[in-house]
Amino acid sequence: MTRVLFVVSAADGWTLADGTVHPTGYWAEEVAEPHRVFREAGWDITVATPAGVAPTVDKLSLGPAGGLPGTRKKIRAYLDSIADELNHPVGLDSVDEAQFDLVFYPGGHAPMEDLAADPVSGELLTRRLASGMPLALLCHAPAAILAARSPDGSNPFAGRRMTGLSNTEEHLNRFSRKAKWLLEDRMIEAGVEYDKGLLPLRPYVVVDGSLYTGQNPQSATALATRLVEALQAPSTTTGRRPMSYRGTTVLVTGASSGLGAELARRLAARGANLVLVARRRERLDELAAELARVHAVRAEVVTADLSAPGASGRLVADLNAARIAVDSLANCAGFGLGDDFVDEDPERISSLIAVNVTALTELTRLLLPHLLASGRGFLLNVASTAAYQPTPGMAVYGASKAYVLSLTEAIASETRGSGLRVLAISPGPTRTEFFDVAGGEDLAVGRFQSPSQVIDLVLDVLQRRNVPASIVSGWSNRLSARAAALAPRRLTLAVARRTIG
């Protein structure tokens, strides 16, 4: 079980430049949200404070400054549920931080009063940083690094990339002008490579190796979620910890729903920045806001109708103009038609081929040089179990997916040894909007899976040492695909026709 040392300030006041003491404590959201995220992950949490003094919540954080009424109500209720833990912390001088998988410092103005000068905390932080084990500090908590000292007297955090509450955000407090010092200034004076988000009061997380920092209270959930993703148990498929995509950018088509949206969420949880492409702007905006809020990643929204001639070229031109370098490409856009070929609308057939075949091919060709040059990413194309045999009643769809499968396997062979991971995923029926468009679930062949199950497999396969060129999602679907490949073509056609109806 993952063990967390949760280091909370014991101060209940902040001494200002005029000698007055401003009542303070820990910021409610910065304790409640990370604690909740860690507990829901099944982690064991030990709360520690200087001298084992019960910490005090900053009353301002339970008022309007702490967010909307509904949010404050939930935070207050959660703090009440862990009151026994908070009221009986262990003394910071009695713990061995090496016994914990993560050391986490929440903020509030209180750390600027005690932890910024606490030698016990300073020594703990110095040892923890040197160990390379995960360490995280949120909002005002980086003030605690001011008490850290290397043997030569320098600050061990000098040169490390970090964030913390910015001067701009601090000045939103009416009493900040009376402060003896501001956190951003002191971090820079200590030699930290200080970083902050473009906009104040927005989630922003900085990761420098095993050192994690969050800028403000709004970063509490994003920081905790990032930590859970980084420290969670190894993959059951690969036996290794989940691969990180931090510092890379992934373009996902069909990102407004289904597999595309699920993949975007999962990649954001692993630190990837996203370019979200689809026709429905409102859905993309909602997803981008969610990813920024929860995971503190950058998510660019591009609305594009990939069935339009030249859409892929315009998309890549827009990326180049915006100087967005793409490391990975996930072609998730696509749709199906469920009728006999003679009864299908010719215009709909053209649109299907444009999206499933033409756009995928053009976008892959245009971006492939960038993917190869990066060497840090993947090319993912969504095929289907329909690719493994002719599909009467869905003839054009099946043919389009057979094309995707064949193209992807060929590209995987051509780029072998380049460092680019190339994969065609062939899901069976999946609980998405696909069947609403295609004509109903009567067209489904095989056992239904959720988008999450499919993406679980994708992410596990992509981090294998030797990535296969293609894989079918679901053991029963794999058996069906293998049987279709081995059976006489005539028999395969008859079974498919009878199954699809």
Side-chain angles (χ1 to χ4, degrees), residues 185-206:
D185 295 337
R186 285 295 175 90
M187 291 178 71
I188 293 172
E189 291 170 9
V192 166
E193 186 180 331
Y194 180 81
D195 193 5
K196 60 184 175 182
L198 293 176
L199 297 174
L201 304 180
R202 296 291 186 273
Y204 193 71
V205 174
V206 170

Side-chain angles (χ1 to χ4, degrees), residues 331-351:
N331 284 304
C332 299
F335 67 95
L337 298 174
D339 213 337
D340 283 353
F341 182 70
V342 69
D343 297 320
E344 295 287 9
D345 178 359
E347 290 188 4
R348 292 287 286 164
I349 290 175
S350 296
S351 292

Side-chain angles (χ1 to χ4, degrees), residues 243-260:
M243 178 182 291
S244 171
Y245 290 91
R246 293 187 187 97
T248 69
T249 298
V250 184
L251 188 152
V252 181
T253 69
S256 61
S257 64
L259 295 176

Side-chain angles (χ1 to χ4, degrees), residues 64-291:
L68 297 173
T71 301
R72 300 199 307 270
K73 183 178 180 181
K74 290 180 181 178
I75 290 173
R76 185 189 294 270
Y78 188 83
L79 291 177
D80 289 342
S81 74
I82 60 171
D84 189 58
E85 287 183 55
L86 295 175
N87 290 334
H88 301 91
V90 300
L92 193 57
D93 58 354
S94 68
V95 298
D96 178 4
E97 80 286 345
Q99 301 303 311
F100 294 85
D101 300 290
L102 168 67
V103 174
F104 183 88
Y105 278 62
H109 282 111
M112 298 177 73
E113 182 72 15
D114 61 354
L115 295 180
D118 189 306
V120 174
S121 174
E123 290 173 8
L124 184 155
L125 289 171
T126 301
R127 292 192 302 268
R128 189 68 180 188
L129 186 66
S131 74
M133 293 287 286
L135 167 65
L137 305 102
L138 176 61
C139 196
H140 285 98
I145 72 167
L146 301 178
R149 290 288 181 274
S150 296
D152 63 2
S154 64
N155 193 299
F157 289 85
R160 301 304 295 264
R161 183 168 170 260
M162 299 178 67
T163 191
L165 198 80
S166 66
N167 288 353
T168 300
E169 292 165 316
E170 192 71 86
H171 286 315
L172 297 176
N173 298 314
R174 55 183 173 77
F175 47 84
S176 65
R177 303 291 178 182
K178 298 180 180 180
K180 292 180 179 179
W181 50 271
L182 299 181
L183 180 60
E184 178 182 337
D185 295 337
R186 285 295 175 90
M187 291 178 71
I188 293 172
E189 291 170 9
V192 166
E193 186 180 331
Y194 180 81
D195 193 5
K196 60 184 175 182
L198 293 176
L199 297 174
L201 304 180
R202 296 291 186 273
Y204 193 71
V205 174
V206 170
V207 182
D208 183 348
S210 60
L211 176 62
Y212 296 73
T213 47
Q215 181 175 323
N216 44 39
Q218 291 76 16
S219 303
T221 304
L223 177 60
T225 303
R226 180 73 67 87
L227 289 164
V228 169
E229 180 66 25
L231 274 70
Q232 69 181 349
S235 160
T236 56
T237 301
T238 63
R240 299 188 296 275
R241 287 191 183 276
M243 178 182 291
S244 171
Y245 290 91
R246 293 187 187 97
T248 69
T249 298
V250 184
L251 188 152
V252 181
T253 69
S256 61
S257 64
L259 295 176
E262 180 67 18
L263 178 64
R265 289 187 175 96
R266 300 289 288 279
L267 291 172
R270 298 190 181 195
N273 296 313
L274 281 303
V275 178
L276 308 174
V277 181
R279 290 181 296 110
R280 293 174 287 192
R281 177 84 194 200
E282 184 177 351
R283 286 197 179 187
L284 292 180
D285 285 340
E286 290 175 358
L287 179 59
E290 173 194 328
L291 300 183

Side-chain angles (χ1 to χ4, degrees), residues 407-417 420 422-423 467-470:
L407 176 71
T408 308
E409 289 181 335
I411 294 173
S413 178
E414 292 174 356
T415 59
R416 185 172 297 155
L420 178 67
V422 179
L423 174 66
V467 177
S470 61

